Amino acid sequence: MQLKDFKLERYFGIHEFTAKYLLSSSDCDGYTMQDVLNTATVDELERWNKLQLGYTESEGNPLLRQAIRPFYKNADLDNILVASPGELNFVLMNTLLTANDHVIAIAPSYQSLHEVARSIGCAMSYWLPDEQTWEYEPEQLECLIQENTKLIIINFPHNPTGAYLSEAVLLRIVEIARTHGIYIFSDEMYHKLTVGELPTLPPIQDVYEKGISLWGTSKTFGLAGLRTGWLVTQDKTVLRKILAFKDYLSICNSAPSEILSIIALNHIEQFLDPNLEKIKRNIQYFQEFADAHTDYVRFIPPKAGSTAFVELHIPETSLVFSDKMVAETGIMTVPAEMFGFDGTYIRVGFGRAILPEILERFSDYLKTNYTA
Ligand SMILES: Cc1ncc(COP(=O)(O)O)c(C=O)c1O
């Protein structure tokens, strides 16, 4: 297995904690420890204060899985497995796939969604959107299927484009996969971050017996520091294999993170509602910015999620642009190259309260350095 560098994470590794302004974060502002504990009931607080810092259940604290269960249909505790999102993605691919398999992955995408499968030796095909609309067509997905296609990897709400589907289109994808006996891994890290017209999609595990859903606390809840994620699927064999693999990695989760995650899940609206309002407001701000800067940017507002992929009218690559801007202004952007995508795009994130201030500086920078 030869994993290539995770470009996006390496780029964040260089700039995230030194750049003054982050224009491209996909998560919402992180809540504080106090925010979480303030929402806790008396019982939850007691559980927190009396928490013993020993090992916890490998599958995830049963109370945490109990808190996750109501978000899914027909899920028992043994349909749920908790670990960090990246670990779950990595282990799922390594237990489900071999070098003889063909995999179809949504693109552009968060690199681990395709790189792990590629590193295992799988033949890869990429399901691409229409660049004018960021729409993904199920018919194009169907054309990519081969005899040995084992897995389809999707991600809606989509990072980075903000693409989303209607339920009818999701069910069409399920029908296609079912006809060919293909698993669907659905990265639902941005689940419920839906401020557009399309209603929230059901998790794939609710609508497909070979569907595997991934969600966690990083994006929807604004609690990335907990590192909590979970897989839910009706296919318990898949989960059993992942659990056996996990014994070689984290073994179990961080006990304090599990308790804080339980509190967050039990009071989801306290975390989600302010995030939705912030994202909605910031999309409006960015729309006004884009309207006032049509010579510089082309903006397709996200249909869901917390990010958009914005085209810049610049004479250089987006990597050169991003490197220069962070050096000269302290504004960090994520260029298209971090998603292995051609074109002069940058990701813009809507989950941070500071966005309007960044946009003022971004506007000055564009007007000073680029001709309209
Ligand atoms: C689509 C997608 N999946 C998975 C992850 C990983 O989530 P986490 O940061 O909680 O490990 C991210 C993070 O940006 C993401 O955008």
Side-chain angles (χ1 to χ4, degrees):
M1 161 178 267
Q2 279 291 328
L3 277 169
K4 292 184 187 163
D5 275 3
F6 201 135
K7 292 184 196 164
L8 175 80
E9 296 299 352
R10 277 303 89 230
Y11 202 66
F12 267 109
I14 296 167
H15 298 297
E16 185 172 8
F17 298 101
T18 50
K20 193 157 179 214
Y21 302 105
L22 303 179
L23 180 56
S24 295
S25 300
S26 59
D27 57 342
C28 299
D29 293 304
Y31 286 100
T32 64
M33 185 79 169
Q34 207 166 30
D35 291 331
V36 179
L37 293 178
N38 282 348
T39 67
T41 62
V42 173
D43 284 354
E44 287 165 345
L45 266 185
E46 186 169 331
R47 192 160 295 127
W48 173 248
N49 288 325
K50 297 199 171 149
L51 174 68
Q52 263 192 313
L53 294 172
Y55 289 107
T56 70
E57 288 85 344
S58 298
E59 299 88 342
N61 183 326
L63 290 173
L64 174 53
R65 284 179 289 141
Q66 244 169 52
I68 293 167
R69 181 162 61 175
F71 293 96
Y72 300 88
K73 263 194 205 155
N74 303 325
D76 292 327
L77 293 201
D78 53 1
N79 295 111
I80 302 169
L81 178 58
V82 184
S84 82
E87 180 176 356
L88 290 169
N89 173 70
F90 181 83
V91 178
L92 171 68
M93 306 281 166
N94 273 284
T95 49
L96 197 63
L97 300 172
T98 70
N100 298 322
D101 295 319
H102 171 248
V103 172
I104 303 171
I106 189 168
S109 70
Y110 190 65
Q111 192 171 332
S112 53
L113 292 185
H114 51 86
E115 175 58 18
V116 180
R118 194 209 56 78
S119 75
I120 290 165
C122 300
M124 301 296 299
S125 296
Y126 297 97
W127 185 33
L128 291 158
D130 177 336
E131 275 189 49
Q132 292 310 306
T133 59
W134 296 136
E135 300 264 346
Y136 286 88
E137 294 299 332
E139 287 66 35
Q140 288 190 2
L141 175 68
E142 194 169 18
C143 288
L144 299 173
I145 291 175
Q146 298 178 11
E147 221 163 84
N148 60 337
T149 305
K150 178 82 176 278
L151 177 67
I152 294 171
I153 300 165
I154 60 175
N155 165 226
F156 297 105
H158 181 237
N159 170 20
T161 67
Y164 206 42
L165 305 175
S166 67
E167 185 169 345
V169 172
L170 181 73
L171 294 179
R172 172 79 191 109
I173 293 169
V174 167
E175 194 184 300
I176 292 168
R178 187 178 278 132
T179 306
H180 296 271
I182 300 169
Y183 283 96
I184 298 179
F185 172 51
S186 177
D187 179 322
E188 296 157 5
M189 287 303 290
Y190 299 83
H191 185 47
K192 291 186 182 289
L193 290 180
T194 37
V195 297
E197 285 163 17
L198 289 168
T200 297
L201 287 172
I204 200 79
Q205 92 83 41
D206 287 11
V207 294
Y208 186 34
E209 61 284 358
K210 292 182 104 172
I212 303 147
S213 289
L214 170 71
W215 190 22
T217 57
S218 298
K219 318 294 181 183
T220 312
F221 293 81
L223 296 169
L226 295 183
R227 312 308 303 125
T228 303
W230 51 89
L231 290 182
V232 188
T233 180
Q234 294 301 313
D235 191 330
K236 294 181 185 171
T237 311
V238 165
L239 288 190
R240 236 175 282 125
K241 285 185 187 163
I242 297 174
L243 189 66
F245 199 120
K246 194 185 164 193
D247 291 338
Y248 286 96
L249 299 172
S250 61
I251 302 174
C252 69
N253 308 301
S254 144
S257 281
E258 291 197 318
I259 301 300
L260 296 169
S261 301
I262 291 169
I263 297 170
L265 279 151
N266 286 345
H267 306 276
I268 182 171
E269 63 292 339
Q270 309 269 0
F271 299 88
L272 176 61
D273 293 353
N275 285 345
L276 288 174
E277 272 177 35
K278 199 186 317 177
I279 290 170
K280 207 171 183 172
R281 234 181 7 251
N282 278 339
I283 293 173
Q284 272 167 11
Y285 277 126
F286 198 86
Q287 184 65 67
E288 285 162 24
F289 169 87
D291 290 344
H293 297 77
T294 49
D295 290 334
Y296 298 99
V297 302
R298 183 174 69 94
F299 175 49
I300 301 170
K303 294 206 171 63
S306 55
T307 63
F309 218 27
V310 175
E311 189 172 22
L312 300 179
H313 306 312
I314 49 173
E316 64 224 349
T317 65
S318 38
L319 178 58
V320 168
F321 174 87
S322 294
D323 282 347
K324 273 198 321 206
M325 188 165 70
V326 71
E328 290 171 27
T329 66
I331 302 173
M332 183 207 172
T333 48
V334 169
E337 287 86 342
M338 299 307 128
F339 291 92
F341 200 68
D342 288 336
T344 50
Y345 296 96
I346 55 164
R347 183 173 77 182
V348 172
F350 301 108
R352 302 291 178 105
I354 196 175
L355 184 81
E357 184 186 332
I358 301 178
L359 290 182
E360 279 181 31
R361 291 166 196 274
F362 187 38
S363 170
D364 288 346
Y365 182 73
L366 287 174
K367 287 177 180 162
T368 309
N369 293 281
Y370 295 86
T371 40

